[in-house]
Amino acid sequence: MIKELSIFGFRGFGLPQTVAFALPDGRTPGSGLTIITGANNSGKTTIVEAISAFNYTGEQTPSFSEGRRNVETAGKVTLKLKDEGGKLYTITSIADGGSSTEKNEPFTLKYYILQSRRSIPFEFGNNYWDKDTYIASSQKLESHRSSSLDNFDVRIRQIEKQKDKFDKVLTTVLGSDFQWVVEQRDSGNYYIKYSQGDVTHSSEGIGDGIWSVFTICASLFDSEENSTVIIDEPELSVHPALQKRLMDLFLEYSMTRQIIISTHSPYFVNWEAIIDGAQLIHVAKNGTHSECYNISEDCRSRFKGIPQDTNNPHTLGIEANEALFLGDSIILVEGQEDVVIFNKISKELSIKLKGDFFGWGVGGAPKMRAFLTLFKDLGYKHIVGILDGDKAEEAQELSDEFSAQSYKIITLKENDIRDKKERRIKEKSGITTEDGKIKEEYIEYISELFDEINAAL
């Protein structure tokens, strides 16, 4: 597995950057999961390709073409990979320059890498390799980015030999209706024939999203414990409902394996996993340079308890996750009514705000510090926090704490964004306590209720 990766001189990495990856603890879902986010052309895929450079086993070394080498480093590339035991592996351009490289020792590393461009031929031959040969032959850093998965027909043959095991994984995402077999045409070529209900299709009739799920499941189902699986953009062509199921798979497998994903989808950001040890990385372009940012342990500790806040369950929802994929201009407000009213008065005055609101607010003024810490760790440079007028003392503390980042903390001239009448809430009895714990007398009722709901779905 990979503890750290350092990149210098490869594509947009004109300055040395080091990325730290999560390592599984064997018991916590998501503990071995690393989520890489960032805008297009920021350098996410370059990280994946840098890892693939270490799949050259023995004395073989990768070659870096002229267009892949950064001109600001005189065309020299240096990659350093530290494994889970702290052993260091290096790939460096040779002293005389050019595309050739050398490494500090022979490698025996094998990382399963699923690229973002993963179309496969509709028909294929009858070739057999083992998995290690497939990785060594088809998952190295090549001279150009291929538009298809090279030699994936070999992988299909490996899957076919363990079809029951593979189908158990595939079914968790696609359901039991999806059935497939390897079929042969009279011409001699092979193809995948699949059926759903009474409908049967050849390989050519399978949608891109189904193919994508198929290849993602292929990367996971026969992975060994303490192995590394890297998936670039798992969301491509995949319906959001299936993305959520894939995320459940990633959380499960990353208990005992290192799973690294690069994504543009908010469905692949899981805050409970991040708090429990999953790594969140933001890759950003600063001028022409790619820069990498990891969240800190201080940030994790500040977020503990936020997912369990039953009064503000939306704080870390999909809308909040979207902020990680927006531009570097984020507006943090206390709650959802602030977002609604600010947008309303923006339209009323025909004044457009430059930034994007973070979800439906941070869930109250006391949580503002946690979110400012998050965006600081992830390298965001343009953040505005807005607090109610009665929070002046807290606002000053935040301004002082985040002065190095030049984050702007503003207090309203009034104590709230809108007038509010005094309200008294009538006491009510629930089936759980105030903190959400099921009352003992309702345990059987809840079980029956859940059965009733499930029977209707």
Side-chain angles (χ1 to χ4, degrees), residues 195-439:
S195 60
Q196 281 186 299
D198 298 329
V199 180
T200 300
H201 286 287
S202 66
S203 304
E204 192 171 358
I206 301 178
D208 290 345
I210 302 299
W211 270 131
S212 189
V213 170
F214 193 96
T215 58
I216 291 170
C217 291
S219 70
L220 296 172
F221 90 102
D222 61 347
S223 59
E224 299 177 356
E225 292 190 1
N226 298 319
S227 63
T228 298
V229 177
I230 300 111
I231 303 171
D232 196 7
E233 299 187 3
E235 69 274 8
L236 291 183
S237 301
V238 177
H239 189 278
L242 300 186
Q243 291 183 40
K244 292 171 70 174
R245 295 177 196 169
L246 283 174
M247 187 57 179
D248 289 339
L249 267 186
F250 296 155
L251 294 173
E252 176 189 347
Y253 272 82
S254 60
M255 282 193 290
T256 54
R257 296 157 177 82
Q258 184 176 56
I259 308 296
I260 301 169
I261 60 172
S262 169
T263 183
H264 291 283
S265 171
Y267 289 98
F268 291 111
V269 177
N270 184 284
W271 287 100
E272 289 191 9
I274 292 168
I275 291 168
D276 287 339
Q279 186 59 266
L280 178 63
I281 297 168
H282 181 237
V283 187
K285 268 288 179 67
N286 186 6
T288 60
H289 296 293
S290 294
E291 297 181 347
C292 301
Y293 301 89
N294 293 60
I295 64 167
S296 62
E297 289 304 315
D298 175 55
C299 184
R300 290 184 211 278
S301 66
R302 291 177 188 263
F303 272 82
K304 288 187 185 297
I306 291 181
Q308 286 76 44
D309 182 355
T310 55
N311 293 319
N312 293 285
H314 55 271
T315 301
L316 292 175
I318 291 297
E319 294 86 355
N321 293 350
E322 288 177 351
L324 300 175
F325 305 95
L326 300 174
D328 186 7
S329 295
I330 306 295
I331 304 170
L332 305 176
V333 294
E334 292 188 39
Q336 57 187 356
E337 64 182 4
D338 295 279
V339 177
V340 173
I341 298 299
F342 270 115
N343 280 324
K344 180 179 175 63
I345 59 181
S346 173
K347 291 181 180 178
E348 184 178 336
L349 297 176
S350 298
I351 301 175
K352 183 173 176 57
L353 291 168
K354 294 181 180 178
D356 295 290
F357 285 100
F358 174 78
W360 291 106
V362 300
K367 297 174 185 172
M368 185 70 76
R369 178 175 277 102
F371 287 93
L372 289 169
T373 302
L374 171 70
F375 288 109
K376 178 198 73 172
D377 285 356
L378 296 182
Y380 284 71
K381 294 178 171 55
H382 305 287
I383 303 292
V384 173
I386 304 175
L387 295 173
D388 292 340
D390 56 358
K391 306 293 192 309
E393 186 176 341
E394 292 95 324
Q396 187 59 56
E397 291 176 358
L398 293 175
S399 292
D400 293 342
E401 183 174 345
F402 296 94
S403 60
Q405 287 73 39
S406 298
Y407 290 171
K408 182 72 173 179
I409 311 299
I410 299 171
T411 53
L412 299 175
K413 282 194 172 183
E414 293 286 352
N415 291 338
D416 209 313
I417 188 68
R418 61 171 177 159
D419 292 342
K420 290 180 180 175
K421 294 180 180 179
E422 184 177 357
R423 291 179 293 176
R424 289 186 176 91
I425 300 174
K426 185 178 180 180
E427 182 177 351
K428 293 183 179 182
S429 177
I431 58 176
T432 74
T433 60
E434 191 173 358
D435 60 358
K437 183 175 177 59
I438 302 173
K439 294 178 182 177

Side-chain angles (χ1 to χ4, degrees), residues 135-160:
I135 292 174
S137 300
S138 301
Q139 299 197 322
K140 300 181 294 187
L141 178 67
E142 301 296 346
S143 58
H144 63 281
R145 292 177 179 172
S146 174
S147 61
S148 61
L149 291 178
D150 295 335
N151 299 311
F152 193 74
D153 55 318
V154 177
R155 190 76 180 119
I156 291 174
R157 290 302 188 182
Q158 295 166 7
I159 295 168
E160 188 182 26

